[in-house]
Amino acid sequence: MHRLFFSFMALCLYTHWAVAALTSGEIANSLNELAQQGFAAKDLVLEINSTADAGPIPDIYTKMDTMVAVVLTDVNFMTNTPIITDQAEEQDVYEGYSNFVQSLLELMGALSSSAAQLKSINETTMNKVPSEIRILQTAIDAYFYNVIGLFPANSSYNAQANNQKAQVDTHCFQAVWAFDRGYSNGNQATYQARRNSSLHSRRIKRGSL
């Protein structure tokens, strides 16, 4: 999954794909579908935490990988999508965006609260879960950057969406921290360095693919 992810990111950076733009309705629908996947992943994490059954743990990774794949596909198809000027369409997209954000906040919260249990029933989660979170976070960083870019700069939705994106970043970091046994300020710096050294999503700007 890691190799596919970074190969896709590199392709997006260096290859221009002539693709059709998504409509605001399609973007809103995709956001709501992603939210459903996020909530489903959260429910699975909480179920595993409750039952202490390590069997379904790989399903968590599958759900997160699926979200990454959908997000990266949508980033590509948003390349030629114009800024939304219709207020009703803005609201639909923003509501879908907020729904997806909420699912991510709850998923990261579930991972944080379940970290001790997951590590106790499967030690590989100590490294695997943070890795999956970082990949997901990098993908949604690109996705959110593109979605936010669809709102006019002076729109209240633009400012609110940026604030929500920052909340997701914080929750992702907290979830990674929960799986790090030797957390310290040094580890925080290491985490930030890993993010900065990755193919940063802000390079995937609308119209630059």
Side-chain angles (χ1 to χ4, degrees), residues 22-169:
L22 290 176
T23 66
S24 60
E26 289 170 333
I27 294 171
N29 288 338
S30 183
L31 284 161
N32 284 311
E33 290 171 2
L34 283 164
Q36 292 178 8
Q37 295 178 33
F39 287 127
K42 179 261 298 185
D43 290 341
L44 179 58
V45 171
L46 294 179
E47 179 183 350
I48 294 171
N49 184 50
S50 175
T51 62
D53 178 8
I57 286 178
D59 294 337
I60 298 174
Y61 308 142
T62 299
K63 290 181 183 299
M64 294 175 73
D65 290 346
T66 299
M67 282 192 282
V68 169
V70 172
V71 159
L72 292 178
T73 299
D74 282 1
V75 167
N76 178 51
F77 279 94
M78 279 194 286
T79 301
N80 298 322
T81 302
I83 291 175
I84 302 171
T85 56
D86 182 86
Q87 189 170 5
E89 293 179 357
E90 274 190 87
Q91 183 174 349
D92 286 344
V93 172
Y94 178 72
E95 288 178 354
Y97 177 91
S98 295
N99 196 22
F100 184 32
V101 165
Q102 185 61 38
S103 76
L104 291 170
L105 296 180
E106 293 188 19
L107 172 58
M108 294 304 140
L111 288 170
S112 295
S113 63
S114 304
Q117 178 74 292
L118 291 174
K119 289 189 291 184
S120 70
I121 61 177
N122 187 329
E123 290 185 357
T124 65
T125 59
M126 184 174 66
N127 295 315
K128 178 63 173 176
V129 172
S131 176
E132 290 286 333
I133 293 172
R134 292 185 183 103
I135 291 172
L136 177 60
Q137 183 180 10
T138 302
I140 61 177
D141 195 52
Y143 186 52
F144 284 172
Y145 183 76
N146 280 267
V147 174
I148 292 170
L150 298 177
F151 300 123
N154 61 350
S155 167
S156 61
Y157 293 128
N158 188 296
Q160 293 171 32
N162 269 299
N163 288 336
Q164 289 171 300
K165 178 182 176 299
Q167 293 177 38
V168 172
D169 288 341

